[in-house]
Amino acid sequence: MPIGPRTPQRRTPDTGQAISVTALRLRLAARFSPQAKLAYAIALQEDNEPVKAAGVLNELARIDIPEAQFRLGRAYLDGIGVPMSLEEGARWMRRAAENGWVEAQLVYATICVLGLPEHGDEAPTLQLSRDPDRPRHRADYDQALQWARRAADSGSPDAQALCGYILTSGPEAMRDTTQARAWYQKGAEGGSAQGHLGYGLALLRDSGDDETARAAAAAELRKAADAGLGSALHLMGELCERGIGVAKDIAASTEYYRRAAEQNVVAAQARFGYACLEGRGIERDPDRAQSWLRRAALGGDVEAAALLGDIHARGGDLPPNYVEAAMWYVRAAEAGHAAAARALGLLFLTGAGVHRDPDEAAKWFRKASERGSTAAETDLGNLVLAGGGTAADGATISSRYEQAARGGDPLGAFNYGVCLAQGVGVTRNEEAAAEWMRRAADGVVNAQYWYGRMLLEGRGVPANLTEGRRWITQAADAGMIDAQVALAQLLVLGRGGPKDHPRAAALYRDAAERGNVQAMFSAGAMYGGGHEVPEDRPAAQHWFLQAAERGNALAQLMAGRYLARGLAGTTDIEQARRWLERARAQGVAEAQ
């Protein structure tokens, strides 16, 4: 209980303890009257003597003084002057309520909503730890409504609001939205902040597209927000953000979110963090954003956890922190966030921030797919087609692809063809694979490449170099790197058509510039001489070094030879030795 202005004090001769003159007088009067004794207990509370006050209140409570019972119950609920105990607090509140103390009726009704001890008055003190052996508590909405109505009928606005809450949120059989709205309205008219909140929500629920009704609802919610209710502050933030019942005002919305966030409303912490991140109605502040998003995520907001994962994964002013990203993605993914589960799968697939583990990647892709992520389903399919995942994944994926293929989807036809060609989830069948590839080739570039390769190699279809080259050319012209490299090789050898070394060199160079390591080596070979293109040894050395740095053993051999012999005009024996040693370590016998 708040401590008011202190009265003049004197020291008692027996203990030397400071005590107010008022309390001293009341202590003397308490010998003659229970009411004076109660006034003495209240004075002790105001003088910050909670233990002594509780002792006096206990004496009075046992002789059925209602206010003493209420104050003693409050002391047990708050742990002031006595050990905190829901059980003892509830017991004394009920005694006071039965004796007609209105505020006790309200508090006891609230306890019934939050949960009563299952073991009666003598149950152990409430424990805050998650001990499975501690006493459980159960809500009793019938008792709650009974006591809330008694207090409401006595004119308590907060009890009227509580009646509205019980009739709105209690068991289905008890709910009565019409009666609840009437109780909320009474509470609001009496000045209850909870009444304004409940009545505003009821008006908003029934408003439809009526702007006048929405404005009335917003007015009630604003009163609740002005009284400092966290949930009302958050709701006002949403209304201002969306322009419902009030003019759209992002700055006002963000301020409401801030105030609600400071009252530990988790959803508001997430929204305020996002506002700080994006500069919505406030100056952009990434550090402040992360602080609030972290609080929201630790409070259970899944979107905040996923957003933190994204922030750390993509980096910004600082390099990406994949370890931190993985931690937040795990929290969000385990709570059912599909996008976070997919992102976590990608981290495990690449080994960014976590150990590389295709099986773990498949697990998270699977979870994300089950939660509706089509991108994760594609990721899982690609992983399975590359040899990852479980046998069950293979069977599931091939079944989905077959269904899509038979439904006329070209991409499904291609993927099902890959399953048949590689025996993923189905018995290997190259003839059937070639058939589905041909169906997909009219619209899917990858299918053009695959079908061209099957024709060149005679896999599932009779070999036909001319047709194979034609399909490979079509895929290469569409920009597929693997097809460009394959076509360049056909042009160098003259398979399926005439030789064309200049075009082959151009294709190799384009694929090399886009990061294909095999094309880097081949471009070096083309420019190194012996082909129907102008010799350009500096260009050859450049591409050999590019491929060598990416682990191509033959390129390491050629880079070593060029630098050892100065073939491009520069000799570097030390660097040449390093490249030759790397090539030899990879089993290239010529690297001597």
Side-chain angles (χ1 to χ4, degrees):
M1 182 171 292
I3 300 172
R6 304 299 295 266
T7 56
Q9 298 181 338
R10 65 177 62 176
R11 292 198 174 274
T12 57
D14 53 339
T15 66
Q17 176 100 25
I19 185 170
S20 69
V21 173
T22 300
L24 183 61
R25 290 171 179 166
L26 290 171
R27 184 173 69 178
L28 295 173
R31 299 176 182 177
F32 306 101
S33 161
Q35 287 304 317
K37 199 168 191 176
L38 176 61
Y40 172 54
I42 294 171
L44 288 172
Q45 288 181 324
E46 292 173 347
D47 278 349
N48 201 22
E49 294 286 348
V51 176
K52 287 184 178 180
V56 176
L57 290 172
N58 185 61
E59 293 178 27
L60 294 168
R62 292 182 182 281
I63 59 172
D64 270 352
I65 304 298
E67 185 176 357
Q69 293 168 337
F70 166 72
R71 287 178 175 273
L72 182 61
R74 184 80 268 174
Y76 274 111
L77 293 176
D78 296 335
I80 297 176
V82 290
M84 182 181 288
S85 171
L86 173 61
E87 288 75 12
E88 282 297 295
R91 182 164 73 92
W92 287 113
M93 280 296 171
R94 173 152 189 152
R95 291 272 297 272
E98 289 170 341
N99 285 324
W101 197 259
V102 174
E103 194 172 353
Q105 293 168 349
L106 169 61
V107 174
Y108 187 68
T110 304
I111 293 173
C112 290
V113 169
L114 296 176
L116 287 163
E118 287 189 347
H119 302 296
D121 292 342
E122 302 305 319
T125 301
L126 174 66
Q127 301 172 47
L128 300 179
S129 63
R130 294 188 175 184
D131 181 353
D133 296 325
R134 74 175 175 83
R136 295 179 178 272
H137 299 86
R138 54 177 175 76
D140 187 336
Y141 284 95
D142 290 327
Q143 284 280 306
L145 186 59
Q146 173 190 328
W147 288 107
R149 272 185 171 149
R150 286 180 64 172
D153 289 340
S154 296
S156 168
D158 285 334
Q160 292 161 350
L162 181 58
C163 285
Y165 173 81
I166 294 168
L167 292 169
T168 301
S169 306
E172 191 68 36
M174 181 181 284
R175 294 181 187 181
D176 186 332
T177 55
T178 302
Q179 193 178 155
R181 174 171 166 164
W183 278 117
Y184 276 136
Q185 185 174 4
K186 283 186 179 181
E189 289 169 351
S192 166
Q194 293 288 350
H196 288 303
L197 174 61
Y199 188 43
L201 285 171
L203 290 173
L204 191 63
R205 182 194 64 223
D206 298 336
S207 65
D209 296 328
D210 187 337
E211 285 302 320
T212 301
R214 286 181 171 184
E220 291 294 327
L221 293 172
R222 184 181 287 108
K223 291 175 184 177
D226 290 344
L229 287 186
S231 54
L233 290 164
H234 177 229
L235 283 167
M236 282 305 301
E238 290 188 343
L239 295 184
C240 288
E241 183 176 15
R242 297 162 62 187
I244 298 175
V246 294
K248 188 172 183 177
D249 187 337
I250 298 301
S253 169
T254 299
E255 176 61 15
Y256 276 121
Y257 286 141
R258 181 194 65 77
R259 291 172 61 194
E262 290 176 348
Q263 293 202 33
N264 293 320
V265 178
V266 172
Q269 291 171 344
R271 295 301 302 166
F272 184 59
Y274 179 75
C276 292
L277 184 66
E278 297 294 323
R280 290 175 55 82
I282 194 172
E283 185 176 350
R284 189 172 181 274
D285 189 340
D287 291 337
R288 193 181 188 190
Q290 286 198 43
S291 175
W292 282 108
L293 289 170
R294 201 173 274 113
R295 288 179 65 174
L298 293 174
D301 191 284
V302 179
E303 289 294 339
L307 182 53
L308 281 168
D310 291 341
I311 290 170
H312 289 291
R314 66 171 177 254
D317 297 332
L318 297 174
N321 184 339
Y322 293 113
V323 174
E324 185 85 1
M327 180 186 77
W328 293 112
Y329 281 143
V330 166
R331 181 180 289 271
E334 288 180 343
H337 196 283
R342 185 202 173 212
L344 188 58
L346 291 171
L347 294 185
F348 276 109
L349 187 63
T350 59
V354 293
H355 62 285
R356 188 175 183 280
D357 189 338
D359 290 338
E360 193 71 5
K363 181 187 86 172
W364 289 110
F365 288 150
R366 192 182 309 118
K367 287 181 179 293
S369 176
E370 290 167 354
R371 293 162 188 161
S373 171
T374 55
E377 183 176 331
T378 299
D379 293 328
L380 179 59
N382 291 335
L383 182 58
V384 168
L385 294 178
T390 64
D393 289 330
T396 300
I397 290 297
S398 65
S399 176
R400 289 179 183 172
Y401 287 153
E402 180 181 10
Q403 184 177 2
R406 296 190 184 284
D409 177 23
L411 187 58
F414 164 69
N415 286 323
Y416 186 48
V418 176
C419 290
L420 289 165
Q422 297 183 344
V424 175
V426 292
T427 302
R428 187 168 181 164
N429 186 335
E430 291 194 333
E431 289 184 2
E435 179 183 344
W436 285 109
M437 287 296 177
R438 175 61 189 87
R439 294 189 191 185
D442 288 330
V444 178
V445 173
N446 283 16
Q448 295 165 1
Y449 171 70
W450 268 75
Y451 187 56
R453 290 291 301 270
M454 296 183 85
L455 286 165
L456 291 173
E457 298 166 13
R459 291 175 50 204
V461 289
N464 187 326
L465 297 183
T466 303
E467 274 296 289
R469 177 162 160 168
R470 183 175 73 81
W471 283 110
I472 295 289
T473 299
Q474 192 168 332
D477 289 344
M480 183 181 180
I481 295 178
D482 288 343
Q484 289 177 333
V485 174
L487 177 59
Q489 186 177 20
L490 295 174
L491 292 168
V492 169
L493 300 175
R495 294 187 69 205
K499 292 182 180 180
D500 188 341
H501 286 199
R503 188 184 178 197
L507 286 167
Y508 280 137
R509 185 176 62 249
D510 184 54
E513 289 172 347
R514 295 166 64 189
N516 185 279
V517 178
Q518 180 59 44
M520 292 174 187
F521 171 76
S522 298
M526 293 294 290
Y527 290 118
H531 296 89
E532 299 168 11
V533 294
E535 186 177 278
D536 185 344
R537 287 187 173 179
Q541 179 174 289
H542 167 77
W543 287 117
F544 283 141
L545 284 169
Q546 291 292 311
E549 288 169 354
R550 290 162 175 79
N552 184 286
L554 292 178
Q556 291 168 348
L557 169 67
M558 295 306 297
R561 286 180 175 177
Y562 265 63
L563 291 166
R565 300 172 187 174
L567 297 177
T570 303
T571 302
D572 188 333
I573 300 301
E574 185 59 33
Q575 189 179 169
R577 182 182 296 112
R578 286 200 303 270
W579 285 123
L580 291 171
E581 287 174 352
R582 291 189 186 184
R584 189 162 53 249
Q586 292 200 68
V588 180
E590 298 92 333
Q592 300 298 332

